[in-house]
Amino acid sequence: MNKVCNAVCVAIGLLSAGPALAATTITSVAANGTNHLAVPGATVNMTFDQEAGTAFEANSKGLIATLIGPSASRTVVTPNGTTPYGAYAYSPTPYDGNGYFAVGAAPSSLTLAGMGGQLFSSISFFVGTLDNYNLVDLLDASGNVIQSFDGTQMYNDPNGAAPPRGNAQTSDINRRVTFTGTNGTAYNGIRFSNIGNGNQSFEFDNVSFSAAVPEPATWAMMIIGFGMLGGAMRYRRKSSKAAYA
């Protein structure tokens, strides 16, 4: 029986073999009046709205929040006017009326990761006044960096232009940024920080995590493996009956 199981395991291994390079697709959409809210249907949504704090909210939603440095904190602002895209300079706009998170200059950072090594196929957040020095690291279950993206890459201009500086309340630099794993890539977490230790700031809100699901090829591999194992067990039972006949 052990030989049969070993053969099946080898076959499954051969079916799963092949290069799988980490790859991420970025979707970056300017504020449109609704995309600042948490992503509908996401597995986990971090809203930064709980007064008990970021770590408490993360824990209640199956995440681990790690805050590092003197300037990484949940922030609440007061309205100071009205524009088509919100009224909160230097905060994620349109603003949802509650808290958001702000990370200052290095070494400050916020890491959000799934408990128990949970993997996510995509991670999305709304950023206010995107700057080229804003930095995101996508992490695996061991805390290793899979890929990193600065503000220019998150702005995702077809000509490679950096985010424009100017009115913080315009839609163009307030964006919903989504990272989606391809080629089997999945993420355990995300780290928000800044490049440099000057007057940098990274403001974001409504971080949405969508759980990873097996790809069609993985399902096919599992079905084939179980089928081969079942066939091998049936063959062994028939062989045993023949031996006793």
Side-chain angles (χ1 to χ4, degrees):
M1 183 65 177
N2 288 338
K3 291 182 179 179
V4 173
C5 290
N6 290 339
V8 171
C9 291
V10 170
I12 295 174
L14 291 174
L15 286 168
S16 62
L21 301 177
T24 297
T25 298
I26 303 177
T27 304
S28 183
V29 181
N32 60 20
T34 59
N35 63 355
H36 60 294
L37 302 173
V39 175
T43 309
V44 181
N45 285 308
M46 275 293 294
T47 63
F48 306 105
D49 292 344
Q50 295 188 19
E51 293 184 4
T54 300
F56 179 87
E57 180 187 358
N59 185 266
S60 71
K61 296 179 177 180
L63 299 173
I64 300 171
T66 304
L67 289 71
I68 296 177
S71 54
S73 62
R74 172 182 177 266
T75 305
V76 178
V77 296
T78 302
N80 61 3
T82 303
T83 76
Y85 299 103
Y88 313 89
Y90 308 110
S91 69
T93 56
Y95 185 55
D96 65 4
N98 297 294
Y100 68 94
F101 203 92
V103 174
S108 297
S109 67
L110 169 68
T111 300
L112 297 170
M115 288 182 178
Q118 181 178 4
L119 296 177
F120 303 99
S121 59
S122 70
I123 302 176
S124 178
F125 61 93
F126 192 82
V127 56
T129 61
L130 180 65
D131 291 294
N132 60 350
Y133 51 72
N134 296 154
L135 181 66
V136 159
D137 297 316
L138 300 172
L139 310 172
D140 66 15
S142 299
N144 300 313
V145 176
I146 298 174
Q147 287 180 281
S148 298
F149 300 91
D150 62 22
T152 299
Q153 292 168 306
M154 288 186 276
Y155 187 57
N156 205 24
D157 182 83
N159 298 316
R165 302 302 301 272
N167 186 353
Q169 296 178 7
T170 62
S171 65
D172 194 45
I173 55 175
N174 299 290
R175 309 181 72 82
R176 167 62 64 176
V177 179
T178 303
F179 302 101
T180 303
T182 59
N183 231 17
T185 300
Y187 320 108
N188 173 245
I190 184 170
R191 180 166 56 230
F192 301 89
S193 63
N194 288 295
I195 301 169
N197 56 5
N199 195 34
Q200 293 87 354
S201 186
F202 192 171
E203 304 91 359
F204 50 90
D205 198 4
N206 294 320
V207 184
S208 299
F209 299 79
S210 296
V213 295
E215 295 185 338
T218 304
W219 281 114
M221 181 175 60
M222 293 170 61
I223 292 170
I224 292 172
F226 285 128
M228 293 175 65
L229 183 59
M233 293 177 69
R234 287 181 61 191
Y235 176 78
R236 180 176 174 78
R237 283 199 299 269
K238 288 181 179 180
S239 297
S240 298
K241 290 179 180 178
Y244 285 109

